[in-house]
Amino acid sequence: MSFKEQYEEIAGVGRTIFDNPELGYKEFKTNQTVTDFLKKVNPDIELQSFSTTGLRTTLGSGKLLNIAFIAELDAVYAPTHWRSDKETGAAHNCGHYTQVAIALALYKHYFESKAYETLDYRITFIFIPAEEYLDLAYRDELLGSGKISYYGGKPEAMKLGVFDDIDIGLCVHAMGGEFAERTIEINCDLAGFLYKHYTFTGKATHAGFDPFSAKNAYSMSTLFNVALGLSRQQMKDSEKVRMNPIVLESDMSTNVIPNRITVGSDLRTQSVDYMKEAASKMDDAARGSALALQGEVEIKTQMGYLPFVQDRYLSEFVLEAFQDNEEISHIWNNNAISAAGDIGDLAFMMPCIQIGYSGFTGTIHGDDFKDIDPEFIYEVFPRFLTQVLERMSGRIDRSKLYRRTFAEYEQLLASIVSSN
């Protein structure tokens, strides 16, 4: 069946997932939608379950190379989005619902046409939970009960061995903004991030009677915010550093000088080395702010995701397919943005690419986000992906691939957290 013939069915699956958004590690309805579709296409399919809602299945056997096509199951917490779940606040304003439908379109095409048999590699479809780094209180419960070890779905799957026999990771993602022409994107590098928690401690006194002997923790945090703002001048432009300090906890009241306040901030950079350097500068600003007002500060670091540097060698196959394609008008190449994703963690272990695609309007993670060109998303773009995969067949130079272990990944994370 051609992509044109299966378009309505695939678009319907996309709409179903869009209308039933679920947060990470809770994508049970989405899991069932995927399972039902795959079993309808292939009643004898072998499905591996992992990480509460993750699924994996492979087409092909007896081939050394294994390429994973990865789709993300989860939604964002966005309760004011026009199609959010009113009970959970989940909304599909990052486009993950289209990833899942695209993966299903590819699976159906390859299984029914048997075209996967002509490829010199296996294709493993991985439907993965919890890409978005949110709903952390729930994930803390899962961590505490031993059900997961990582907030992010890909690091958790890496730990479980889901990617142990995978050589290449291939992802796709909605492009932000609206485009006049059908557009794809390659080599868009993403930032990595970590979380910093600064708890400033001072001395509480009556704000009217005796403010003179107090040590104002709120003032320390205010000074810290000013220091961060001034420090941006000393941050490298090429690293696209982002910091967003907010008040997480406080014991403030109008008649008592506050003696405790916790400020949290993410820190985003394009490289691990600079992440460590920038985090050290943030810590110095916090210590200096506390010291300046005779207070103290406790600093905690929580790792988020690693920066994602797309594999330029693999992207050459995408560019080559685009140059021979008459359905897609434009390509963006070699941008870097400060958004992040756990694809950076997987890319530490193996070469990965993430191909962007247009067809949307509004702002990613915004209240107005939606698709406006479903024919491109569910028909034209999946057909283009088969052209990319066909060009990879028989031409992957294994000497240009790399592999690191999960132990090395854990060592890297430990080095980032322990250095701050």
Side-chain angles (χ1 to χ4, degrees):
M1 181 178 287
S2 70
F3 287 102
K4 188 175 186 64
E5 291 173 319
Q6 68 183 29
Y7 162 73
E8 289 294 344
E9 181 182 18
I10 296 299
V13 172
R15 287 190 296 270
T16 296
I17 298 172
F18 181 76
D19 289 339
N20 294 275
E22 298 169 295
L23 300 179
Y25 294 123
K26 301 175 182 176
E27 309 98 327
F28 299 106
K29 289 183 289 186
T30 308
N31 171 289
Q32 192 63 55
T33 298
V34 172
T35 300
D36 290 346
F37 182 93
L38 291 174
K39 288 186 175 180
K40 179 181 176 182
V41 172
N42 178 9
D44 298 321
I45 192 170
E46 294 183 5
L47 284 172
Q48 172 191 349
S49 298
F50 64 93
S51 302
T52 70
T53 55
L55 293 167
R56 173 190 146 132
T57 189
T58 299
L59 286 176
S61 61
K63 303 172 183 179
L64 294 178
L65 195 66
N66 194 351
I67 297 180
F69 189 91
I70 304 162
E72 295 153 348
L73 299 168
D74 61 331
V76 176
Y77 181 75
T80 55
H81 183 266
W82 66 278
R83 202 65 183 91
S84 66
D85 184 306
K86 301 310 176 186
E87 293 185 4
T88 67
H92 269 299
N93 56 355
C94 198
H96 291 182
Y97 69 101
T98 61
Q99 293 180 20
V100 177
I102 289 167
L104 296 176
L106 289 174
Y107 183 90
K108 182 170 184 176
H109 160 75
Y110 277 112
F111 179 78
E112 294 190 344
S113 69
K114 304 303 179 186
Y116 70 90
E117 296 176 353
T118 67
L119 303 175
D120 77 332
Y121 53 80
R122 291 167 284 157
I123 304 178
T124 295
F125 293 84
I126 300 177
F127 300 87
I128 204 156
E131 187 273 337
E132 303 290 351
Y133 202 96
L134 45 77
D135 197 21
L136 301 187
Y138 174 73
R139 298 186 195 184
D140 282 335
E141 293 178 10
L142 296 181
L143 285 165
S145 63
K147 292 181 179 179
I148 62 171
S149 300
Y150 286 87
Y151 289 118
K154 293 187 189 68
E156 178 67 13
M158 289 155 54
K159 174 184 179 292
L160 295 174
V162 174
F163 291 98
D164 281 359
D165 63 343
I166 303 296
D167 301 289
I168 292 169
L170 173 57
C171 301
V172 296
H173 204 288
M175 296 175 66
E178 186 173 336
F179 296 82
E181 300 176 303
R182 288 175 169 175
T183 304
I184 62 169
E185 182 171 26
I186 59 174
N187 296 325
C188 179
D189 294 337
L190 304 180
F193 73 95
L194 50 75
Y195 280 131
K196 304 292 293 190
H197 294 81
Y198 299 97
T199 300
F200 294 92
T201 304
K203 178 183 178 182
T205 64
H206 192 292
F209 177 72
D210 183 23
F212 318 107
S213 60
K215 298 175 183 178
N216 193 317
Y218 178 67
S219 295
M220 298 172 206
S221 71
T222 300
L223 193 59
F224 174 59
N225 270 296
V226 173
L228 287 186
L230 295 174
S231 73
R232 291 178 183 272
Q233 184 184 40
Q234 298 170 239
M235 301 290 186
K236 290 181 180 178
D237 291 339
S238 60
E239 287 285 339
K240 299 183 182 295
V241 178
R242 300 288 187 271
M243 297 175 284
N244 183 40
I246 61 171
V247 174
L248 297 177
E249 299 176 12
S250 72
D251 61 353
M252 296 172 66
S253 70
T254 57
N255 65 343
V256 178
I257 300 296
N259 72 341
R260 185 179 179 86
I261 187 168
T262 299
V263 174
S265 179
D266 62 352
L267 169 64
R268 297 169 181 263
T269 64
Q270 293 291 315
S271 69
V272 168
D273 287 343
Y274 202 77
M275 182 184 293
K276 295 178 181 180
E277 182 178 336
S280 177
K281 291 179 178 180
M282 290 180 71
D283 292 351
D284 286 345
R287 294 187 188 100
S289 299
L291 181 62
L293 296 176
Q294 297 83 48
E296 298 178 346
V297 62
E298 179 186 0
I299 303 172
K300 293 183 179 179
T301 304
Q302 178 180 335
M303 189 61 209
Y305 296 150
L306 294 178
F308 175 39
V309 178
Q310 302 224 26
D311 191 272
R312 266 51 181 180
Y313 166 64
L314 296 177
S315 291
E316 292 176 8
F317 295 101
V318 187
L319 180 59
E320 181 183 308
F322 167 77
Q323 291 169 340
D324 290 339
N325 184 281
E326 297 180 353
E327 296 182 285
I328 303 175
S329 305
H330 190 67
I331 188 170
W332 282 21
N333 194 356
N334 279 316
N335 295 305
I337 59 177
S338 293
D342 58 3
I343 183 63
D345 295 69
L346 183 62
F348 173 79
M349 290 183 65
M350 67 187 67
C352 295
I353 57 173
Q354 181 165 274
I355 308 169
Y357 52 101
S358 66
F360 303 86
T361 189
T363 303
I364 282 189
H365 289 205
D367 290 346
D368 56 348
F369 182 85
K370 63 180 179 180
D371 63 83
I372 55 173
D373 189 359
E375 289 83 3
F376 176 59
I377 295 169
Y378 299 124
E379 179 193 337
V380 175
F381 185 63
R383 182 163 50 247
F384 170 75
L385 292 174
T386 65
Q387 296 163 4
V388 174
L389 291 167
E390 287 167 6
R391 279 165 175 76
M392 289 182 174
S393 182
R395 298 175 59 199
I396 296 291
D397 182 349
R398 294 183 68 89
S399 70
K400 294 185 178 181
L401 307 182
Y402 62 88
R403 185 76 191 197
R404 298 188 182 100
T405 66
F406 186 74
E408 290 175 296
Y409 168 75
E410 288 188 309
Q411 291 168 6
L412 176 61
L413 296 192
S415 74
I416 296 171
V417 174
S418 64
S419 67
N420 295 287

